[in-house]
Amino acid sequence: MTRLVELEATGPRKLEPSDIDETKGDIAICQCGLAESFPFCDGSHRQTDDEESAATYVYENGERSVVERIVTTDEE
């Protein structure tokens, strides 16, 4: 499976000691690209559990759609 994900960051985010979860004592980093609290995991990846390996998906406003075709253009 693949996902189309738009990120607004232009560089790395440095993690701070205040990023540590006081209850769990850990930091979970988002690897699916869907977390509202990116770069931190918020459990959004659970909605990807039944994705098919041959499909490409886009998630918008909590809704998943299969991408039929991707078109790219060069801006001038």
Side-chain angles (χ1 to χ4, degrees):
M1 108 310 292
T2 57
R3 275 178 228 108
L4 296 178
V5 178
E6 291 184 28
L7 301 176
E8 295 179 9
T10 58
R13 163 130 188 228
K14 181 179 178 183
L15 299 178
E16 303 292 337
S18 61
D19 293 323
I20 297 174
D21 184 292
E22 291 181 17
T23 305
K24 298 178 186 176
D26 63 7
I27 300 171
I29 302 300
C30 174
Q31 294 190 73
C32 72
L34 300 175
E36 293 284 329
S37 58
F38 192 84
F40 302 108
C41 177
D42 64 4
S44 293
H45 60 274
R46 291 184 187 103
Q47 61 188 318
T48 69
D49 286 343
D50 60 348
E51 288 181 343
E52 296 180 21
S53 61
T56 298
Y57 299 94
V58 64
Y59 288 80
E60 295 177 304
N61 301 320
E63 298 291 323
R64 176 175 63 195
S65 300
V66 174
V67 175
E68 298 296 330
R69 187 172 139 219
I70 299 172
V71 178
T72 59
T73 61
D74 290 332
E75 292 184 33
E76 292 184 11

